[in-house]
Amino acid sequence: MTRIAYFGPQGTFTEQAARALVEGELVPYESIGLAISAVRKGETDAACVPVENSVEGPVTATLDGLAEDEPLVAVAEALLPIHFSVLAKPDIDADDVRTVASHPHALAQVRRWLAQNLPGARHVAAASTAAAAVAVADGEYDAAVVAPVAVEHYRLRTIATEVADIPDARTRFLLLRRPGELPAPTGSDRTSVVAATANRTGALSELLTELAFRGINLTRLDARPCKVGFGEYRFFIDFEGHVAEPRIGDALAALRRRCQVRFLGSHPRADGVRPSIQPTAGNEDFVNAADWVESVRKGDTA
């Protein structure tokens, strides 16, 4: 049976995403780094981890985990709407809640709701939403802001559901594996890379220009320190398309000529959005241009 590591403990949004992405035995790990490491060590076949939230932005632990150590690639993604439940100790009412715990990202996404509904509660950061539920079950805190799936694992009282300051907030999750056969292109795909450029004027602009020249649309751009010197950064770039497409392959080759690049995967997009191809920037245009160059080299045309 396939074993899938996920950012746990039981009852996180990551568990919900893992259930949606793949069938198999789900194995919770206490941190994103440990879940990623489990794949590299061969303890599991894959790992499910969050990568970005529409409210709080990138999940830096995932980005750093992908940039360092042995390469892993994303082979699938899930996009979950983020609505929380608030669970409390069985013997406590909402008016009596004095401490409420959750992951910092979760607390940030329900700040207004907490101010209106639990105004007297002190907010406490936890390693994950599920870790907050465990702490409440152990009597450390009065309530926790959690993923809806947590109610399946912890004997706590539900005092609110569908809690979200921003109703359409979403988090994207990745299914990571060791390098191997990639998912076939679908026409609605995402490719991800991390690029380490020289610290000089225009270095990032040159990379983005290579994509723009080929009519490739970015879906995400983040910067993270390389941790080797002040001012040295890696750039995490997601864009539309699949490495199997001629125009995407041509772009990756151009990026590789300019800087250090790590390929992080090509996989179907969870939202099903298909790219809008600019005139003269389609795959057929790249194939025809390459065929013409080959013909010139052979002396068949000019």
Side-chain angles (χ1 to χ4, degrees):
M1 177 181 291
T2 301
R3 287 169 53 85
I4 304 97
Y6 72 92
F7 175 35
Q10 289 181 315
T12 59
F13 281 103
T14 313
E15 179 187 355
Q16 290 186 223
R19 290 181 181 183
L21 284 170
V22 65
E23 293 184 0
E25 178 188 358
L26 301 184
V27 185
Y29 283 79
E30 293 182 1
S31 70
I32 289 172
L34 289 174
I36 292 175
S37 178
V39 186
R40 291 191 170 114
K41 293 179 179 178
E43 296 174 2
T44 63
D45 303 293
C48 183
V49 292
V51 66
E52 64 173 328
N53 175 264
S54 61
V55 177
E56 289 299 298
V59 180
T60 56
T62 296
L63 299 188
D64 291 345
L66 289 173
E68 300 163 358
D69 298 323
E70 297 177 21
L72 296 176
V73 294
V75 295
E77 68 177 33
L79 196 60
L80 292 189
I82 303 300
H83 295 163
F84 298 92
S85 294
V86 180
L87 306 184
K89 293 186 291 187
D91 58 347
I92 196 170
D93 294 325
D95 292 340
D96 299 322
V97 172
R98 294 294 176 263
T99 53
V100 57
S102 195
H103 188 275
H105 278 201
L107 291 172
Q109 293 180 70
V110 297
R111 187 177 293 113
R112 290 199 301 269
W113 187 94
L114 291 174
Q116 294 170 2
N117 295 275
L118 300 175
R122 177 171 59 90
H123 303 172
V124 182
S128 68
T129 56
V134 171
V136 172
D138 290 342
E140 296 180 35
Y141 308 115
D142 295 331
V145 178
V146 299
V149 71
V151 74
E152 300 178 15
H153 301 293
Y154 307 103
R155 294 182 178 179
L156 299 173
R157 179 184 178 191
T158 301
I159 61 176
T161 59
E162 296 295 314
V163 175
D165 289 349
I166 300 176
D168 61 349
R170 296 183 293 175
T171 295
R172 187 164 65 96
F173 299 83
L174 298 178
L175 184 67
L176 305 174
R177 295 184 185 273
R178 290 181 290 276
E181 184 177 357
L182 295 173
T186 65
S188 174
D189 303 290
R190 191 190 315 272
T191 292
S192 304
V193 299
V194 55
T197 65
N199 185 9
R200 59 176 177 78
T201 303
L204 176 59
S205 176
E206 291 172 359
L207 301 187
L208 301 183
T209 298
E210 295 288 3
L211 300 176
F213 278 161
R214 293 162 177 82
I216 298 171
N217 184 46
L218 266 66
T219 60
R220 184 173 63 93
L221 174 63
D222 291 304
R224 290 287 296 156
C226 291
K227 304 178 182 179
V228 294
F230 191 79
E232 301 289 336
Y233 285 86
R234 299 185 183 102
F235 297 99
F236 292 81
I237 307 172
D238 289 358
F239 46 87
E240 294 176 340
H242 193 286
V243 66
E245 300 177 44
R247 70 191 188 107
I248 302 300
D250 192 66
L252 290 176
L255 296 181
R256 184 64 181 82
R257 287 196 301 271
R258 291 189 178 275
C259 66
Q260 297 179 4
V261 177
R262 173 176 285 196
F263 176 71
L264 300 180
S266 287
H267 55 79
R269 292 181 60 163
D271 56 16
V273 173
R274 302 178 72 88
S276 177
I277 306 300
Q278 299 177 12
T280 73
N283 287 310
E284 185 176 347
D285 298 304
F286 280 85
V287 171
N288 290 340
D291 289 345
W292 176 80
V293 170
E294 185 62 25
S295 180
V296 169
R297 287 171 173 165
K298 292 179 179 179
D300 295 336
T301 189

